[in-house]
Amino acid sequence: MLDLQDRTVCPTLKEVEEYVRNPVFHSFCAAVKETYKIEEKIEFSSCSLAAGWNVKFKKAGRALCTIYPDVSCFTVLVVIGKKEKPAVEAMLSQCSGEVQEIYHQTPEGNGQRWLMIPVEDKDSVYEDVLRLLAIRRGEKQGKSL
């Protein structure tokens, strides 16, 4: 079984998928890869909030999102900066209650909110995360995928 805390063994995306054991993880990664034409980078983080192996999607040197795997679910980190804030706040009322609460409960620091959004199902939270990524990539309306 994969040990996400073992920094000596970098897992493949397939091994991470097997660890998560939730088809939504595969769907999410596939949607991000297809939409933004980017490949994942699996990196080890020593971050105290979520130490271990994670999956990052970066475009032009800028992080689009980071996925922290867990058994049966995963958490997506989306950083909302000054540039994205107006668009996110304009569409926030259309988001699920969970995402609205995460946004409002996440403190702003240096003009950013680091949203840690747990995803288990292909539901409104999943769709909201994809909309946040669209805004992060500069799509004006943050349209759903």
Side-chain angles (χ1 to χ4, degrees), residues 80 85 88-109 112-117 132:
I80 303 302
K85 183 178 178 178
V88 169
E89 290 186 349
M91 64 80 104
L92 199 56
S93 66
Q94 301 163 24
C95 289
S96 63
E98 295 95 331
V99 169
Q100 289 183 43
E101 184 176 344
I102 289 167
Y103 185 85
H104 292 300
Q105 297 295 321
T106 301
E108 191 170 311
Q112 298 180 326
R113 289 180 198 252
W114 289 43
L115 307 181
M116 297 287 283
I117 306 170
L132 290 170

Side-chain angles (χ1 to χ4, degrees), residues 7-8 13 18 35 46 48 52 67 76 82 85 95 105 114 116 121-122 124 128-129 134 136 138 140-141 145:
R7 69 171 44 239
T8 64
L13 186 61
E18 290 168 359
T35 302
S46 297
S48 60
I67 303 170
V76 181
K82 292 176 186 174
K85 183 178 178 178
C95 289
Q105 297 295 321
W114 289 43
M116 297 287 283
D121 301 304
K122 206 168 183 182
S124 58
D128 291 344
V129 173
R136 184 124 175 94
K140 298 286 185 226
Q141 299 160 11
L145 300 176

Side-chain angles (χ1 to χ4, degrees), residues 13-29 69-75 118-123 126:
L13 186 61
K14 181 76 173 149
E15 289 171 324
V16 175
E17 278 182 37
E18 290 168 359
Y19 176 85
V20 174
R21 295 191 320 253
N22 182 333
V24 176
F25 178 82
H26 175 80
S27 296
F28 184 82
C29 290
D70 205 343
V71 176
S72 79
C73 65
F74 55 98
T75 300
V119 178
E120 286 185 63
D121 301 304
K122 206 168 183 182
D123 57 8
Y126 176 98

